[in-house]
Structures are given as structure tokens and as C-alpha cells.
Amino acid sequence: MTLAVVLSFAALLLLLTLALLWSSWPGWLKGTLVAGVAIFYFWANTVVHDLSGWPSADPLPERFVLLAAVIDEPTKLRQGALHVWVNALDNGKPTDKPRAYTLPYAKDVHALLEEAMKKNRQGVSQVGTTEPKKGKGGISWLRPGSDEQVIKIRDLPAPQLPEK
């Protein structure tokens, strides 16, 4: 997959070079072509990054089953992060594929995840829910990482068997 993407970019670069050097297109069209390819590169870089298995910085799903968590505590040299691996719940059933997410470090979420992972190791599955954090409004949507969520994790209820 990665080789195909690299070869695609190489072919696109070759076509761009040919168009810029040997075409009789006007200058404004060549400039638009360069700008379009640059924008396409940054968009494709984001898409490829998500495909290669890196954790997503997207918000967690509204309902999920917690599979694993890794806590990267902050130090003086770097910011901390919370890495979670969850399986989204769709109509009460887990989706086909789990997904890794990276959350900004927060001490309360750290404690919540630690407790949930202890229960997970004891064989008690954990289900989580998220809600958007009620903020101050304004232009907070312009700041990256401002889409914080309130995360709640509890024990997965035991399945109810039908009566005979």
C-alpha cells in the first residue's frame, strides 16, 4: 500500500514537471497547478497517516468498549498523552475493527483509564460513553484540541438471557 502511494506521488511529480517545463500553458494556469498539487499533497499526507495505523486524534466515538490504554505521563521535556484502543458500539454491537485514539493528557482521565484497565485485567469488560464538554463558546473551535470530551467508563452489563 505504501509503495503504491509513493509511486503515485512520483508519477504526479513527473507530470507536474512536464507540464511546467514543456507546456505552452499560461503562467496563471501553471501556478494554479502547483498550488493544487501542494494542497493535494498535504491532504493525501493526512489520509495516508490515518491508513498506516497511527492513532487518530479524532474524538472518541459516543459509545465504545475499552480494549487497552497506554498512559504517557507528561515530563518537563514533553507533553503527556493518553493512548486508547477502543471498539465503537453501533446499535449496541461492536463494530468490525477497533481503532486507536490519542487524547491530550488529563489527570482525571488518567485515573479513570487506570481503574478501567485494572477491571479489564480482572475480566470485567469496560464500556465508555462520551459527551462534548460544555465550554465557553466563542472561537474555541479554531484551536486544535479544543474539542474535548467528557469521558465516562463503567462495567459492561451482564447479558440478559431470555426466559425459557
Side-chain angles (χ1 to χ4, degrees):
M1 176 73 152
T2 306
L3 180 63
V5 171
V6 169
L7 291 176
S8 299
F9 279 122
L12 185 63
L13 182 62
L14 177 68
L15 291 173
L16 177 66
T17 304
L18 291 174
L20 293 177
L21 294 178
W22 288 299
S23 73
S24 59
W25 294 347
W28 67 269
L29 187 58
K30 289 180 181 181
T32 304
L33 183 63
V34 169
V37 168
I39 290 169
F40 174 73
Y41 169 77
F42 289 111
W43 172 78
N45 183 38
T46 304
V47 170
V48 169
H49 186 73
D50 286 344
L51 288 177
S52 60
W54 292 98
S56 173
D58 295 339
L60 287 170
E62 284 185 29
R63 292 181 38 111
F64 60 88
V65 175
L66 179 67
L67 302 174
V70 174
I71 292 144
D72 185 17
E73 294 189 32
T75 64
K76 292 180 182 178
L77 301 176
R78 60 183 166 75
Q79 292 181 344
L82 303 169
H83 306 283
V84 294
W85 195 32
V86 304
N87 206 350
L89 290 173
D90 187 25
N91 294 326
K93 295 182 182 179
T95 56
D96 291 339
K97 296 179 183 169
R99 181 79 170 116
Y101 292 89
T102 298
L103 307 171
Y105 184 83
K107 200 167 196 145
D108 56 339
V109 180
H110 174 169
L112 184 70
L113 288 172
E114 231 173 37
E115 183 64 31
M117 287 312 299
K118 281 181 190 175
K119 289 183 178 181
N120 233 352
R121 283 190 291 274
Q122 295 169 354
V124 180
S125 296
Q126 300 294 295
V127 65
T129 58
T130 61
E131 299 172 356
K133 189 177 275 188
K134 293 180 174 55
K136 300 169 189 154
I139 60 169
S140 64
W141 57 274
L142 290 174
R143 291 187 302 272
S146 65
D147 54 347
E148 295 180 17
Q149 298 174 306
V150 176
I151 301 170
K152 297 177 184 174
I153 299 177
R154 59 181 170 80
D155 296 349
L156 185 67
Q160 298 293 322
L161 299 175
E163 292 185 28
K164 290 185 175 182

